[in-house]
Amino acid sequence: MSFGLLKHFKDLKKNSAEPVKAAHVRHIIIGQDLGAVLKLIELKKNAPEENVKLISSRPINKQLLIENYQFGISQLRSEEAVREIYTKRFDAKILPHNKDSLFYKDGKFHEFGGRAKSMEILNGEEFFVTKGYTVELSSLFAPEVWENLDQIISSAIDIRIFESIEKTDPQDLVEKNEWLLTFKDYQKMTCENLYISMSPKKFVNLLTNKEQLTPELIDFCTAVQVRTGLSVTWSLNKEIYPEERTLFIPQSMTHEWGHFIVEFENYNHSKKEQLCHVLFLIHEEEPQTEDLASKIKLMKRVLERVFPELEKSIAKEYIRFDEEMFVSDIKDNLLEQLGFDYPTLKFVGQVAPVSSSFSNEKYLSRVLLS
């Protein structure tokens, strides 16, 4: 072994033995969704001089947000929530679908609640039966923020894989180290205020010293329901379906496998394009890549029977797989107590607190109501 290489390994061993000094940040947001980005914009607006970090396990940019939220089946299904959102976000553009949802059976579409009965609506699918609303993503941001969104995110984001999170007892009154974040690369950060826009189940699994945590925090985090989903958007070069509405198409007519939930946007004559969004919920805990690929092939086969010429009309394809696509069953009654027990811990996004009159709201409604 050369002397230079031997010295390198000795230095590496020496450095790894030295304690890593944690960088301190006033505000840290954990997440990679719209809720995390909206919280980042809010903090930078209200306290521009303060240091804010967004910790994510993968890159975030404007195009990915568009593909994840502008594309895809409508996650907004409540007229009451939409009215309330407008009182908070005056410039939001939220357009209702003109027609109610339909289901496919015996070669044609039927209305829910009629004489025909659909295949079994599996757990989680019932949310999409009511009429949807389409949100223009850019309308949720000030024009100058939307224009510079990539730069704003890039200046704040830190892509990391977590090892653990610890609630600490701050000794320094200037740099209040309320939370210690440790990452897989042995780097560490401390912060005063921690904002969680990820699955509380994943968050509580990262927490150390659980015996010192309150039962309310453990209960809140473990009680939520997390659903994995796979969303596909196709850019079609011709009009395949003439209406903007939600369609339930069974994955199988002989097995209760659930539905492909489909929405076509109105045909864009200037672009000569129609967008088609398809969602299916995944009920396996850890789906394999080959299983997802098989499901997409099945999706195309099934939809081709219902919409002839769909597959050959696909010009572009966008696929989004998300283990935390839908988070629900939020125990709002515990959030107030957590605010007293952990005043420096805030839940945002799909797990954000809302007023009691909107406690049944979930998904994008909760993100925008908070």
Side-chain angles (χ1 to χ4, degrees), residues 34 38 85 88-89 135 140 364-370:
L34 178 62
L38 289 172
I85 289 167
K88 299 174 180 291
R89 303 178 184 275
V135 182
L140 303 178
L364 187 57
S365 290
R366 194 172 276 259
V367 174
L368 300 182
L369 284 168
S370 60

Side-chain angles (χ1 to χ4, degrees), residues 78-88:
S78 165
E79 184 179 349
E80 294 78 12
V82 170
R83 282 200 298 266
E84 184 66 15
I85 289 167
Y86 272 124
T87 69
K88 299 174 180 291

Side-chain angles (χ1 to χ4, degrees), residues 39-54:
K39 178 53 68 174
L40 171 66
I41 301 304
E42 178 190 323
L43 289 173
K44 282 189 164 290
K45 177 183 177 183
N46 295 337
E49 74 288 350
E50 292 182 356
N51 199 359
V52 182
K53 278 289 180 186
L54 171 59

Side-chain angles (χ1 to χ4, degrees), residues 74-80 82-83 86 92-101 130-136 243-246 263-266:
S74 170
Q75 294 185 34
L76 201 52
R77 304 262 163 181
S78 165
E79 184 179 349
E80 294 78 12
V82 170
R83 282 200 298 266
Y86 272 124
K93 293 180 181 176
I94 305 173
L95 301 176
H97 292 177
N98 293 325
K99 302 290 183 69
D100 291 327
S101 302
T130 55
K131 190 161 62 175
Y133 292 79
T134 299
V135 182
E136 187 176 311
E243 296 174 334
E244 190 176 38
R245 68 198 311 170
T246 306
E263 286 177 0
F264 289 88
E265 292 191 17
N266 292 324

Side-chain angles (χ1 to χ4, degrees), residues 19-81:
V20 177
K21 179 170 171 55
H24 181 75
V25 181
R26 178 77 186 278
H27 305 281
I28 288 183
I29 308 159
I30 302 176
Q32 52 214 16
D33 59 355
L34 178 62
V37 174
L38 289 172
K39 178 53 68 174
L40 171 66
I41 301 304
E42 178 190 323
L43 289 173
K44 282 189 164 290
K45 177 183 177 183
N46 295 337
E49 74 288 350
E50 292 182 356
N51 199 359
V52 182
K53 278 289 180 186
L54 171 59
I55 308 294
S56 169
S57 62
R58 57 177 185 250
I60 309 171
N61 55 48
K62 185 194 293 187
Q63 183 58 33
L64 286 172
L65 287 172
I66 290 171
E67 291 176 15
N68 290 352
Y69 293 95
Q70 190 89 25
F71 294 175
I73 299 298
S74 170
Q75 294 185 34
L76 201 52
R77 304 262 163 181
S78 165
E79 184 179 349
E80 294 78 12

Side-chain angles (χ1 to χ4, degrees), residues 301-355:
R301 249 190 349 261
V302 168
L303 297 187
E304 182 70 19
R305 293 193 204 111
V306 181
F307 308 106
E309 300 189 349
L310 182 145
E311 190 167 1
K312 71 179 183 181
S313 302
I314 297 173
K316 290 181 181 178
E317 181 177 69
Y318 304 87
I319 299 175
R320 174 195 176 196
F321 171 76
D322 194 335
E323 294 175 333
E324 303 175 0
M325 190 173 287
F326 303 109
V327 183
S328 61
D329 295 2
I330 313 302
K331 287 193 171 182
D332 288 286
N333 61 313
L334 294 179
L335 280 171
E336 186 175 355
Q337 182 61 44
L338 293 182
F340 288 111
D341 296 337
Y342 303 95
T344 59
L345 175 65
K346 305 287 191 301
F347 289 94
V348 300
Q350 293 190 62
V351 290
V354 294
S355 64

